[in-house]
Amino acid sequence: MEFDLVIVGAGSGGYEAGLYAHRRGMKVAFVELSPETVGGNCLNRGCIPSKYMRYGAYMIERFSHMSRYGILPKGFHLSMPHLKEGRDNVVRTIRENFKKFAQHLGIPIFYGKGFLKDPNTVVVEGADITLRSRFVLLATGSSTVSVGGMVADGRYIHDTDTIWNLEEFPKRVVIVGGGAVGVEFAYIFRMYGADVTLTELKDRLLPMAGIPEESSRFLARKLKKLGIDIKLKTTVNHYEKTEEGLKVSFTDGTQLTTDIILLAVGRKPNTEGFKETGIEMDERGFVVVDKHCRTNLPSVYACGDITSPLMLAHKAMYEGKVAVSHMLGDEGWEKNDTLMPKIIYSAYEVASVGLTEDEAEDEGYHVRVGVVSFVTNPKAMDDGENEGFVRVVVEERTKRILGCHILGPNAGELLHQVIHAMKAGLGADFMSRSVYSHPSLSEAIGQASMEVHFGPITWTKRS
Amino acid sequence: MEFDLVIVGAGSGGYEAGLYAHRRGMKVAFVELSPETVGGNCLNRGCIPSKYMRYGAYMIERFSHMSRYGILPKGFHLSMPHLKEGRDNVVRTIRENFKKFAQHLGIPIFYGKGFLKDPNTVVVEGADITLRSRFVLLATGSSTVSVGGMVADGRYIHDTDTIWNLEEFPKRVVIVGGGAVGVEFAYIFRMYGADVTLTELKDRLLPMAGIPEESSRFLARKLKKLGIDIKLKTTVNHYEKTEEGLKVSFTDGTQLTTDIILLAVGRKPNTEGFKETGIEMDERGFVVVDKHCRTNLPSVYACGDITSPLMLAHKAMYEGKVAVSHMLGDEGWEKNDTLMPKIIYSAYEVASVGLTEDEAEDEGYHVRVGVVSFVTNPKAMDDGENEGFVRVVVEERTKRILGCHILGPNAGELLHQVIHAMKAGLGADFMSRSVYSHPSLSEAIGQASMEVHFGPITWTKRS
């Protein structure tokens, strides 16, 4: 069969690229492992089900602050079967609609493992199908890895492949890894009633590039307040099964007994066998692509988790469209990791784009930072959720925005205003003179931008 | 006393202008009626306390959809004293901090009615104070009006001056006026347990310029579903006090008995006596200002509710800064009613900026509209709140964004992305190629922008 574009992997990146290519007139086909894996990790075992559970956790927390709204709850029961059914229903609905919609548009999905035979041929293993195509997009995603000899058994030891199968809420949880997945699940399990211990090898939570220490500290303070035990510079040293549960020893010398351990550690790109097909790879196993997401084989492109350790669904979606756009002759749309937001949903929404203040200084910029707290934001006060801040990092001379870091209510949506501004090259001057509705959380962005010009003018303490 | 700028009215517009002028080095003074009115109508009797109560209403509604998150509430009591205390506490906190902060910055507030004696002199009536100033900014706001012979008595008949004093939740409410205030309070009272009848003289709710019929219809459908009786092309004809309550006759011939009537009708500008000071006024009682918010008296500026019937706090705040900026010699920052968002918090957030499709066509534009439903938005599905839409109205040839209309979760914050884009002259092409995190509500904006180029591609029905 002949196509303009065959996409190996119908996850976030592949699917989005396929729809975009179809819109732009290409004849497209998907190759995906099985009907159950359409949508990829994000949909089936990642951002979508975790955000669902996080919303429940967030609502439990909100319920405990309702008396000031004249709402005096009599309490509530918690039920994992209800939660699971609701969550799986959302995942299934999105996945089935993906498939139905592809069918409706006339885009075939071939099930099996896709294998690049030559730069214009994809073989679907097991299905005995050979697809010829002008272009190929590799969008095969990533997989969980084990750490420190701990392998997920789906009963005592979980990773993000197995954690969804829990039949009831655990009473005691140890989480290994204080990155995005770790802090999200720490909050979820805590609000659903567990004693939670969160360990992180580095000296702070969310120890990733692009997230300022202020956000890590602020989040850690809140998680502690909610009763989560955070152990930094620590990991699990050893564990054994006992009658009371898993007896865990940590590298800091402490011990405890838990019901489960969740491994919230790194992932590896699904690029096994790629090298043999002639695709240039780096030493870590990632595909080497140019700014248009093209590999060393001119007809073969790659996007998402296999192009760099920045494993974000929207990075994959963006790169997929950049690739398709370039196949069609556009030169102007380029991949851009700096603009990829990092958004974490834990006890707060933690949202970052671009450089932190420290990173910008390390890169030689003269930096100014505008900081505004949500404490005094009228909309945040109305909503009873006025913790957090907006930090806008700006190049002193040009007022160009180098980064923005928001922690607090709706941070993940608010950040988009700054993402667009950064992409368009609009500076803090523009943002300070734009229009913000009153009352709105967005006003804090305008105020932080104004601080950059005029210095701090605020009656709240800095965060 | 000599100042660079005396501001008559320390409401949203005046206060924001004063802070901005102070930042830019001007010696500023406020004149305000009394310590209790600092912050103006928005803070004390408008957007801030109403958004507070709306948040409680919204939470009550959310509680009824929690079983899918494994949260099974045992019910709740409602308590007006708790609600009132929380609400008044927020209002008081903001107001007192306003005052403290002005004091901290060395900006005096003179209490009494400010009166323009000549273009450089403000007299504070009652306080026997005369202030000389290089510039004067009039920011005196607006007042409630009565309608159809109904005058607020604070017991049976309420307006937005008196409704805050209710000591308990009414069981039966009639609301006169289906504009922003009417639909907000209809939702609030309904969720707090009342039978609500909402009347509107025109043939739809929110019958204002800039809000599309789609938003009105969508909101009306939801309010009806919540049990609110909506009577269009109808108002109160007559009422009389009986033992059972207020017996109300409507112009459609129907009758009912209610506890209270809330007048949610227009407001009039506070410009009494302005004409006598030589300021040019229009026939409706508004101050005539140029694009820099300057009146016919070169040293006198005006902002907010007294400059046009578009009575929005953020319009006042924006105009106040435009005025100050012009006093300091900037010519580039101009008032712009088209960019002023209209954001209503009812059973949905309803947010609009710029022109509706119909208005754009009436103005002679060839229009394209991109529409995306929240039904299929993964973040909205995760949050269990996936009703509503994003409509982007674009000029066909240039792809310039003429307006945007969002109804649904966080519409009021999401809209800011498009406000900034419109202000910067960025088109739908830019918005379709920008970065959106996944999952996010913001993705719907990118998708609606993409529809403008390529036409609809979606598996949900249009709203």
Side-chain angles (χ1 to χ4, degrees), chain A residues 287-338:
Chain A
V287 177
V288 176
V289 293
D290 67 13
K291 63 190 178 184
H292 297 113
C293 298
R294 183 149 72 162
T295 72
N296 61 311
L297 307 178
S299 64
V300 180
Y301 292 70
C303 72
D305 292 1
I306 60 173
T307 70
S308 78
L310 191 66
M311 295 181 176
L312 300 165
H314 43 271
K315 180 205 158 211
M317 295 161 83
Y318 193 77
E319 289 183 352
K321 287 181 284 191
V322 167
V324 167
S325 184
H326 189 255
M327 294 170 197
L328 295 169
D330 301 348
E331 294 283 335
W333 203 2
E334 299 179 359
K335 82 194 284 284
N336 186 340
D337 282 4
T338 309

Side-chain angles (χ1 to χ4, degrees), chain A residues 23 63 69 97 457 459, chain B residues 23 63 97 192 442 457 459:
Chain A
R23 275 189 143 144
F63 286 5
Y69 295 97
N97 281 330
I457 180 169
W459 48 269
Chain B
R23 274 189 144 145
F63 286 5
N97 281 330
Y192 278 100
S442 300
I457 181 170
W459 47 270

Side-chain angles (χ1 to χ4, degrees), chain A residues 102-124:
Chain A
Q103 191 173 31
H104 168 72
L105 297 174
I107 307 176
I109 309 178
F110 298 100
Y111 292 111
K113 189 166 183 180
F115 171 79
L116 192 70
K117 193 178 161 196
D118 68 51
N120 297 97
T121 308
V122 171
V123 174
V124 185

Side-chain angles (χ1 to χ4, degrees), chain A residues 12 16 19-20 22-24 42 47-49 51-52 55-60 62-63 66-80 82-83 86-87 90 93-94 97-98 101 105 169 192 313-314 317-318 321 325 330 332-333 339-341 343 345 349 378-379 381-385 410 412-414 416-417 419-420 423-424 426 430-443 447 450-451 454-459, chain B residues 12 16 19-20 22-24 42 47-49 51-52 55-60 62-63 66-80 82-83 86-87 90 93-94 97-98 101 105 169 192 313-314 317-318 321 325 330 332-333 339-341 343 345 349 378-379 381-385 410 412-414 416-417 419-420 423-424 426 430-443 447 450-451 454-459:
Chain A
S12 299
E16 182 86 356
L19 288 192
Y20 184 63
H22 174 86
R23 275 189 143 144
R24 298 200 56 181
C42 169
C47 12
I48 303 304
K51 255 83 260 149
Y52 186 96
Y55 187 79
Y58 171 70
M59 280 290 124
I60 292 172
R62 294 270 76 200
F63 286 5
M66 283 300 110
S67 73
R68 69 177 81 154
Y69 295 97
I71 307 163
L72 310 174
K74 297 177 192 163
F76 45 81
H77 301 288
L78 295 176
S79 158
M80 178 64 105
H82 281 78
L83 173 62
R87 182 196 71 202
V90 164
T93 301
I94 297 175
N97 281 330
F98 266 24
F101 189 42
L105 297 174
F169 296 115
Y192 279 100
H314 43 271
M317 295 161 83
Y318 193 77
K321 287 181 284 191
S325 184
D330 301 348
W333 203 2
L339 274 182
M340 291 304 140
I343 300 179
Y345 293 80
E349 295 190 22
K379 182 64 166 61
M381 293 172 78
D382 269 349
D383 295 353
E385 202 184 345
N410 281 307
E413 306 294 346
L414 292 176
H416 286 78
Q417 296 172 44
I419 298 172
H420 301 323
K423 190 170 187 347
L426 302 170
F430 175 87
M431 292 306 280
S432 77
R433 288 175 176 238
S434 192
V435 181
Y436 300 87
S437 71
H438 181 76
S440 69
L441 302 170
S442 300
E443 288 180 289
Q447 287 160 356
M450 198 169 276
E451 279 210 353
F454 303 112
I457 180 169
T458 171
W459 48 269
Chain B
S12 300
E16 181 85 357
L19 287 193
Y20 184 63
H22 175 86
R23 274 189 144 145
R24 298 199 56 182
C42 169
C47 11
I48 304 304
K51 254 85 260 151
Y52 186 97
Y55 187 79
Y58 171 70
M59 280 291 122
I60 294 173
R62 295 270 76 201
F63 286 5
M66 283 300 110
S67 74
R68 71 176 80 154
Y69 294 98
I71 307 163
L72 311 174
K74 297 176 190 164
F76 46 82
H77 301 288
L78 296 176
S79 157
M80 179 63 105
H82 282 77
L83 173 61
R87 182 196 71 202
V90 164
T93 301
I94 297 175
N97 281 330
F98 266 24
F101 188 42
L105 297 175
F169 295 115
Y192 278 100
H314 44 270
M317 294 160 84
Y318 193 76
K321 286 180 286 192
S325 183
D330 302 349
W333 203 3
L339 274 182
M340 291 303 139
I343 300 180
Y345 293 83
E349 294 190 22
K379 183 63 165 65
M381 293 173 79
D382 269 348
D383 296 352
E385 202 182 347
N410 281 307
E413 306 295 345
L414 293 176
H416 285 79
Q417 296 172 44
I419 297 172
H420 300 324
K423 189 168 189 346
L426 302 170
F430 175 87
M431 293 304 281
S432 78
R433 287 173 177 241
S434 193
V435 181
Y436 299 87
S437 71
H438 181 77
S440 69
L441 302 170
S442 300
E443 288 180 289
Q447 288 160 355
M450 199 170 274
E451 278 211 352
F454 303 112
I457 181 170
T458 171
W459 47 270

Side-chain angles (χ1 to χ4, degrees), chain A residues 378-397:
Chain A
K379 182 64 166 61
M381 293 172 78
D382 269 349
D383 295 353
E385 202 184 345
N386 58 332
E387 296 169 357
F389 54 80
V390 174
R391 297 178 75 88
V392 180
V393 180
V394 168
E395 185 185 11
E396 185 156 27
R397 190 178 52 83

